[in-house]
Amino acid sequence: MSEKRYFRQQNPFIVPTTDGKLIEEHIGHASTGTGEYSVAYMIAPPHWSEPHQRPEFDEVTIVVRGRKRFEIDGDIVELGAGESLLIKAGARVRYSNPFEAECEYWSVCVPAFSPATVNREEE
């Protein structure tokens, strides 16, 4: 019998966090061993933020609910539900949710997200 040409994810990898953010990796290094791209579902709590970073991968964010703020090479962009954004590899970016409601979104990275290639700055 030949190998199936699809994969149904029923148990995404829950990335351990200490900041209250939910990260469920559906496809990627941690969940499926896929390095070409990653797909993750996330919920960022109110007043959440990450340090600046300079990823070595492109990242598409699609906001489902709430709002999310991006600081990209000195520009500020805010997305709401139904909006998406592509940030190219090498941009200096900071992700945050400085708002009162949580933000639900999907992230697609090409190549796949990796702690070794996200290049987070010390705060």
Side-chain angles (χ1 to χ4, degrees):
M1 184 172 175
S2 66
E3 182 179 340
K4 293 188 182 209
R5 297 177 58 86
Y6 66 90
F7 171 76
R8 180 178 177 182
Q9 179 60 277
Q10 294 180 295
N11 191 22
F13 178 76
I14 307 299
V15 177
T17 65
T18 58
D19 58 5
K21 183 178 178 186
L22 169 69
I23 305 172
E24 294 180 348
E25 185 186 271
H26 285 255
I27 307 293
H29 287 293
S31 58
T32 60
T34 304
E36 294 80 18
Y37 57 90
S38 60
V39 179
Y41 169 78
M42 302 187 209
I43 298 179
H47 308 288
W48 163 88
S49 69
E50 290 182 336
H52 283 91
Q53 52 195 281
R54 197 176 293 273
E56 297 174 27
F57 46 81
D58 291 351
E59 183 166 1
V60 174
T61 300
I62 304 164
V63 175
V64 176
R65 178 175 51 89
R67 298 183 338 187
K68 187 173 178 189
R69 179 177 290 167
F70 306 78
E71 298 170 35
I72 312 158
D73 292 333
D75 293 339
I76 301 220
V77 177
E78 292 182 0
L79 293 188
E83 295 184 299
S84 60
L85 179 68
L86 166 65
I87 299 176
K88 301 295 278 179
R92 183 173 186 258
V93 61
R94 181 175 187 209
Y95 301 101
S96 66
N97 176 13
F99 309 108
E100 296 300 320
E102 61 186 21
C103 179
E104 177 182 7
Y105 61 100
W106 286 87
S107 173
V108 178
C109 299
V110 179
F113 174 91
S114 168
T117 60
V118 73
N119 302 315
R120 284 199 177 99
E121 297 176 9
E122 298 293 322
E123 289 208 283

